[in-house]
Amino acid sequence: VTDTNRKQGYRWNSLNENTGYTETASEGADTLDPSDAPLNLFPGAPTDAHTTTSLGGVASVTASSYGSSITYLPEDRPAAALDGNAQTAWLTNSFVGQIGQW
């Protein structure tokens, strides 16, 4: 099964790793990231027509950035900090620097 209407960020800078994580229904667009340009595949569709993430056990997971400003790296996603796997971690965007990241 392929989901063609996930609520997610999108970067047009590469041929792969260009789709962001599936966002929650209440999550807004990242207006601070100029390279995040999501594609609205079904304009005019109701908001509940998107596939969204539902978190269990936590209210939310947010971060100032992840991966790089060129690609969305799945292994660097903020949820990796809380997935219970000691082999994964959230990594911030290496191009923006580390100071002030959260």
Side-chain angles (χ1 to χ4, degrees):
V1 176
T2 300
D3 185 351
T4 58
N5 201 26
R6 288 191 311 136
K7 185 176 182 221
Q8 65 190 97
Y10 201 91
R11 291 201 167 116
W12 300 90
N13 303 325
S14 69
L15 295 176
N16 60 358
E17 298 173 336
N18 50 7
T19 57
Y21 63 86
T22 304
E23 300 169 351
T24 63
S26 61
E27 197 168 352
D30 186 358
T31 57
L32 298 176
D33 183 353
S35 67
D36 181 19
L39 179 63
N40 187 357
L41 292 176
F42 303 101
T47 56
D48 63 354
H50 283 111
T51 298
T52 57
T53 294
S54 176
L55 302 170
V58 295
S60 68
V61 176
T62 60
S64 51
S65 67
Y66 78 92
S68 79
S69 56
I70 298 170
T71 59
Y72 283 117
L73 302 172
E75 62 271 20
D76 296 345
R77 293 176 178 176
L82 300 174
D83 65 3
N85 182 349
Q87 302 297 312
T88 63
W90 161 68
L91 295 176
T92 187
N93 183 341
S94 58
F95 294 115
V96 299
Q98 310 309 307
I99 297 174
Q101 298 296 305
W102 50 266

